[in-house]
Amino acid sequence: MDLLTATLRTEDIVAQLAAPTLAERDRATATALALGAPVAARLLDGVDALAPTDKGRRLWTFHGLHMRRAAQRLRDPRPVELRHRGTLGEAIAILAAEAGVPVAEPLAGAALPVDVDLRGFTLLQALDAVCAAAGARGAQGRRGALATEAEPLPPFPTAYDGVWRVRAVEARVERVTDFVATRARATVRLQVDWEWPVASVGPPRLTLAGPGRVEEPVAHGAGAEIVVGLDDVGGDGPLRLHGELEAVFALDHEELRITPGGGEVEAHGLAVRIERQDDAGCVLRVEPRAELRARGDAGLVGVPGSVLCLGAGGREVLVSVHRIRSVGVASEAWGVRPPDDFGPIAELRLRAAARLESRRIALDLAIPRP
């Protein structure tokens, strides 16, 4: 334990997030980000019962902590080792403690017996294996909580790597004839997930090693679904899906601060300014410069759509913005609307990706033929 952790109590740090001065609140946020996981759970204690202007700083700090957590998990996805003979609830609690996330309550099937010896597993792989041993299924829910359902998971062909999990959740085979020859073609639906709080900044891209068709990914919760078409899949054996899945992740974020009348802020390929302001809020213009536009992404990357609004009277609120992409250009207009009684906006803060990195997972799935 380092000196900082030994001399600071998490409850004191959380209390300082509601300090009367902006400087004190900023120091408390910086301290919380430095401490990391020990503070995260305390930030959520009773937060849902607070007024929006009282919980804004807490949620802003919580989001910052988990951006750092996601980056750390991407850099160092440590394998899970679990040898356990007992109940499902006990095994889930051990996994949750190792991952630094809560356990969902109530936990379905908590009393089911489990006997596992897992070594070198990813967290999601370990969660699936523990639940399978109990005849249940698991998931990561809101704020990373490990949850279970007391029914078995279908035998999805699955690939795991680091923070990734890719499942083939549906397969169809169609036989077609032109009255000269008969051939078969298949459609496979993939579900892509990442360990919470990791999420890509754009949809993942699948490249097949052989012939086939890949449809555009569709967002599905925190992950994505991809539909793949495979031609000439005759025979009776399993369908083989070979390829490489790629996604882009933000490994670091920087806080940008924008003030009314303060001009444009440029950082990490972005230009941000307050375009106009009225009594109800303001419009924030977020525009990528040439280095980001050259990436060819469909929109802005690595810029979460939440903004901390600071009022002239010292109040703060976290706002989910209304994003409107400009036709024909890559810039976006963000509508920022704090509560009606918030008053004039003195400053806006958002976080932008300071470093983007591409990660890949190789796929070689044997999918039972329907």
Side-chain angles (χ1 to χ4, degrees), residues 13-14 17 27-37 39-40 43 61 65 68:
I13 298 169
V14 173
L17 293 173
R27 281 197 297 269
T29 295
T31 302
L33 294 179
L35 283 177
V39 184
L43 290 172
T61 305
L65 272 169
R68 291 195 176 193

Side-chain angles (χ1 to χ4, degrees), residues 164 202-207 214 217 226 244-248 295-298:
W164 296 73
R205 298 177 182 178
L206 175 63
T207 303
V214 180
I226 304 176
E244 185 178 69
L245 198 59
E246 179 184 11
V248 175
R295 290 179 48 86
D297 296 287

